[in-house]
Amino acid sequence: MARIQTTPVKGTRDYLPRELVRRNQVFQLLRETFERHGYEPLETPAIEHTAALEGKYGEEGERLLFRILKLGRDLETAERDLAANPSADRSAAALARTFSELALRYDLTVPFARVIAARQNDIVMPFRRYQMQPVWRADRPQRGRFREFYQCDVDCVGSASLTVDAEMIAIYDEVYTRLGFTDFTIHVNNRSLLNGLLEACDVEPERRVAALTAIDKLDKIGLDGVRNELMEAGLTESSVDRLMEAIGMSGAPQAMLDALKPTVGANEQGARGLRELSEVFEYVRAMGVAPEHYAFTVSMVRGLAYYTGTIYESTVAGTNLGSIGSGGRYDRLIGMFLGKDLPAVGASFGVDRIFVALDQLELMKDIPVTTTQALVTLSAETTRETFALARALRAVGVRTEVYPDPKELRAQLAFASKKSIPLAFIMKPEELARGEVTLRDLRAGEQETTPLTEAPQRALALLE
RNA sequence: GUGACCGUAGCUCAACUGGCAGAGCGUCAGAUUGUGGCUCUGAAGGUCGCGGGUUCGAGCCCCGUCGGUCACCCCA
């Protein structure tokens, strides 16, 4: 018999209990933090109309959409229509549109924007929501990059106040700190400042995308590398000099903002970016975020097309991952669905990368793995007592399982040992007849005889 | 989308310039007459990813293909 492939699809993973228990604890920590800040849960379908996703992620992003083939008759109809029209556009992009009108969600922000547009009247603004669901991207997987991964997003819609932009930084800080990260940086920048900077440095509009792409690589290729790429992009030496001065800056946010003022000069967009950042940092200080946890990083850009104001990206020292969380303000995205703009800002956490980071920094061992706490053995003559005891244990909250087969005791205890179950109740008929039971502590290798009626309390005591 | 590397037992990996396919871990049985881990003994388990080619002979060389890993692009 030919065996079908048992490894999961490229870029996806199976989660075994040991791993999933830990993952769930990270999810739980995120959920708690989000709810502490007043965010409410929301979920959306995995599948969206492709039209709802197109035009939001930029050309590169759109290429990574997982498209779903039309079904049955619709597929046949599309095929017939195409065959009947020899002049139809047969480019890959056009064919994709012809044969598919649905796609898997690419992120959580765009579906959220769609929901806001659809359900405005059911929502009290400003609306704070969190969402923790998988997203799919048809990328080539590598370290810290998957085709199916979870995003955990908090977004606030309906307020243009920069206090909310600052709140995102406070939430990033709280989550990373609670996870056990100590050496992390939340990079903060502003799209409007970047646009203004390019204008003020006389970069022609058609060269701005290339310029931003080059600037964004600073942490990877260094100042000289960026300078080279900017020159290759066709910028004038004067433009490059001025841009390099700006992106090479480091230090306290307020001092950097002051230092950028002459470069930005009278440029309106740039000045607005500086003003917004200044205000955001003021609120961040008021919220008590430690200064060493965030930085004003002029070279941080963010690829997604929909950001308009403040943008974020966070990194952890001692890992070779990219960003473990990012986000920003997107005041015009909801307008693409609604016809009128609603201001919004959000932060996204990449749980899968956070996981890799926790692993690399060996912080995982601080998260305890919980499984079954007590095993009750089974034998043909003690069935009644076994299930009665298991029920009593569960009633006081002890996670209890019964070995399903009345196999020899050796096998039952070996099973408990392999699963690291700390306690085993050994059901001996002669003891049960006296109203007693043997309770073995597998961790210590010690055992005692205890009255059946006190067994659940003894188990709790041994488990502390 | 571009490029590099790797596919041998359930897992991690050996096998000289082409010459009988191995180890550790795991699994199962026993030492152990209802008590796990530790130790010892033994056993099972492989179309060397798949297809073709070169050769007296291929796990090893060549071509193709599928799968995986890493980097670039981009990104969580």
Side-chain angles (χ1 to χ4, degrees):
Chain A
M1 191 168 90
R3 285 184 62 180
I4 52 174
Q5 191 183 340
T6 54
T7 52
V9 169
K10 186 200 292 287
T12 68
R13 292 147 304 157
D14 299 316
Y15 300 105
L16 266 53
R18 190 184 189 79
E19 191 182 353
L20 198 52
V21 165
R22 291 168 164 177
R23 279 180 72 86
N24 285 342
Q25 297 195 15
V26 173
F27 282 117
Q28 184 55 28
L29 188 149
L30 287 163
R31 187 189 309 277
E32 270 173 31
T33 310
F34 298 161
E35 290 184 350
R36 276 185 196 180
H37 286 262
Y39 287 76
E40 298 177 272
L42 183 141
E43 292 195 355
T44 64
I47 305 171
E48 292 279 347
H49 295 286
T50 310
L53 306 183
E54 282 170 338
K56 315 291 193 303
Y57 303 117
E59 198 183 330
E60 281 291 329
E62 213 153 288
R63 190 173 302 156
L64 301 182
L65 285 179
F66 265 111
R67 293 168 186 274
I68 297 170
L69 210 55
K70 282 182 180 173
L71 302 176
R73 189 166 296 262
D74 288 344
L75 184 62
E76 289 164 20
T77 305
E79 191 180 12
R80 203 164 45 238
D81 289 351
L82 186 72
N85 182 2
S87 63
D89 183 355
R90 281 175 165 74
S91 67
L95 289 176
R97 266 192 297 279
T98 302
F99 290 111
S100 158
E101 54 197 3
L102 302 176
L104 294 177
R105 78 165 95 78
Y106 177 92
D107 72 356
L108 302 180
T109 308
V110 171
F112 173 59
R114 177 186 61 70
V115 173
I116 295 300
R119 305 289 290 273
Q120 258 200 110
N121 296 335
D122 304 328
I123 289 165
V124 178
M125 307 267 186
F127 177 45
R128 289 180 163 103
R129 85 88 174 74
Y130 71 87
Q131 188 170 350
M132 309 198 293
Q133 290 188 281
V135 301
W136 294 269
R137 297 182 187 179
D139 215 343
R140 291 249 320 239
Q142 51 188 281
R143 190 188 322 107
R145 175 180 300 186
F146 307 96
R147 284 185 160 179
E148 176 185 71
F149 62 98
Y150 274 77
Q151 286 197 330
C152 300
D153 282 24
V154 282
D155 289 84
C156 178
V157 58
S159 170
S161 166
L162 295 168
T163 58
V164 197
D165 299 56
E167 178 169 291
M168 297 301 155
I169 299 169
I171 290 172
Y172 276 124
D173 181 50
E174 193 172 324
V175 165
Y176 297 144
T177 302
R178 290 185 69 193
L179 282 169
F181 294 131
T182 49
D183 197 356
F184 61 87
T185 309
I186 305 155
H187 299 277
V188 184
N189 199 4
N190 186 291
R191 265 323 244 273
S192 182
L193 169 67
L194 282 167
N195 292 334
L197 209 51
L198 292 174
E199 267 179 34
C201 292
D202 304 315
V203 180
E204 299 97 319
E206 66 273 19
R207 302 196 199 281
R208 285 181 193 160
V209 171
L212 286 175
T213 306
I215 290 170
D216 197 31
K217 291 186 196 168
L218 177 64
D219 57 331
K220 247 180 186 168
I221 61 178
L223 282 170
D224 292 340
V226 174
R227 173 176 287 278
N228 288 339
E229 290 214 5
L230 288 175
M231 294 303 293
E232 279 168 33
L235 273 65
T236 66
E237 196 150 350
S238 154
S239 294
V240 173
D241 286 343
R242 282 178 283 165
L243 279 176
M244 290 307 295
E245 197 197 328
I247 67 170
M249 285 180 184
S250 63
Q254 201 54 57
M256 286 173 65
L257 291 169
D258 291 340
L260 278 169
K261 272 186 191 146
T263 314
V264 167
N267 183 276
E268 203 178 311
Q269 274 205 85
R272 197 180 77 207
L274 290 177
R275 261 198 325 273
E276 289 184 1
L277 281 168
S278 176
E279 206 178 317
V280 168
F281 288 125
E282 189 187 318
Y283 294 132
V284 169
R285 277 193 299 276
M287 290 173 184
V289 180
E292 63 270 25
H293 286 168
Y294 63 94
F296 172 26
T297 305
V298 187
S299 63
M300 190 266 288
V301 176
R302 305 284 304 125
L304 295 183
Y306 51 67
Y307 292 118
T308 53
T310 317
I311 46 178
Y312 320 95
E313 202 162 274
S314 29
T315 53
V316 186
T319 70
N320 50 6
L321 303 162
S323 165
I324 60 165
S326 65
R329 181 166 276 283
Y330 48 99
D331 286 346
R332 285 192 286 279
L333 177 61
I334 296 168
M336 297 175 81
F337 291 103
L338 193 59
K340 66 167 194 197
D341 286 338
L342 270 177
V345 60
S348 178
F349 292 85
V351 188
D352 302 84
R353 285 199 178 166
I354 285 174
F355 236 75
V356 176
L358 286 171
D359 203 37
Q360 287 185 356
L361 297 172
E362 292 176 2
L363 293 169
M364 205 67 92
K365 59 182 180 299
D366 297 328
I367 302 172
V369 173
T370 55
T371 56
T372 305
Q373 296 172 302
L375 177 90
V376 184
T377 65
L378 182 69
S379 64
E381 60 273 27
T382 67
T383 306
R384 180 190 301 269
E385 292 87 344
T386 290
F387 290 120
L389 178 56
R391 186 181 172 87
L393 285 165
R394 292 177 187 130
V396 298
V398 176
R399 294 189 293 275
T400 303
E401 67 181 301
V402 172
Y403 196 86
D405 302 292
K407 276 176 60 169
E408 55 191 7
L409 190 55
R410 163 211 291 282
Q412 302 196 33
L413 288 174
F415 169 80
S417 183
K418 240 180 278 183
K419 279 192 67 175
S420 304
I421 298 172
L423 301 180
F425 283 94
I426 300 167
M427 309 300 276
K428 304 181 189 181
E430 58 277 21
E431 284 182 357
L432 292 170
R434 291 198 303 271
E436 293 182 326
V437 66
T438 295
L439 169 53
R440 183 167 179 82
D441 187 329
L442 286 297
R443 297 163 299 188
E446 291 164 0
Q447 64 187 46
E448 63 189 41
T449 305
T450 183
L452 260 176
T453 50
E454 292 169 25
Q457 290 309 317
R458 275 306 294 157
L460 280 177
L462 285 171
L463 292 166
E464 287 159 338

